[in-house]
Amino acid sequence: MWRITDSGEISNSPHTRYNEDGRLKIDNNGAEQALRPIVLGRKNWLFAGSEAAAHRTAILCSLVQTCKHLQINPFVYLRDVIERVSTHPARQVLELTPREWKRLRRDSGAQAAA
């Protein structure tokens, strides 16, 4: 793929973006590791029961992998969210996403310590 770099040069190197921004990782091992459980269970997903069940399974797998990525214990997160979801205000539903859940727990822990 050809592209113009920030300095105006034409490049076709796949590593151009990595060379321009040192914060980027040179490989995609993290993404491959996150997909491994899905790939290993691929044949099992054929028997989800229905398209809706497969969709719910995909959402659950996505939440678990996001928790792992954010270094959250998925069991603790899911237990807390399932207990709270029926009474949680709908307008504050974003607070139940793993990233916000972690931030709010960290903030409330800091306030309790103060």
Side-chain angles (χ1 to χ4, degrees):
M1 178 172 82
W2 294 92
R3 65 181 219 85
I4 298 176
T5 65
D6 292 340
S7 60
E9 299 172 4
I10 297 176
S11 172
N12 68 343
S13 169
H15 301 292
T16 301
R17 200 69 190 148
Y18 170 76
N19 291 335
E20 293 173 357
D21 189 348
R23 296 173 298 168
L24 299 176
K25 294 185 178 185
I26 196 165
D27 59 26
N28 66 346
N29 286 343
E32 290 179 6
Q33 292 290 335
L35 287 174
R36 178 167 284 140
I38 304 302
V39 173
L40 293 175
R42 183 178 296 151
K43 287 192 178 184
N44 294 336
W45 310 133
L46 293 173
F47 304 103
S50 68
E51 187 174 339
H55 183 74
R56 287 189 295 271
T57 301
I59 291 170
L60 187 59
C61 288
S62 177
L63 284 171
V64 168
Q65 290 303 320
T66 301
C67 285
K68 288 179 180 179
H69 175 72
L70 295 172
Q71 298 176 338
I72 298 171
N73 181 337
F75 178 77
V76 172
Y77 167 77
L78 289 171
R79 184 180 60 198
D80 183 55
V81 169
I82 290 170
E83 288 173 355
R84 294 173 40 200
V85 71
S86 64
T87 59
H88 199 76
R91 68 183 178 282
Q92 296 173 343
V93 72
L94 290 178
E95 292 178 357
L96 300 178
T97 61
R99 184 170 314 233
E100 284 299 306
W101 182 87
K102 181 178 181 179
R103 184 185 64 79
L104 290 171
R105 283 180 63 105
R106 184 179 58 233
D107 292 349
S108 66
Q111 289 175 356

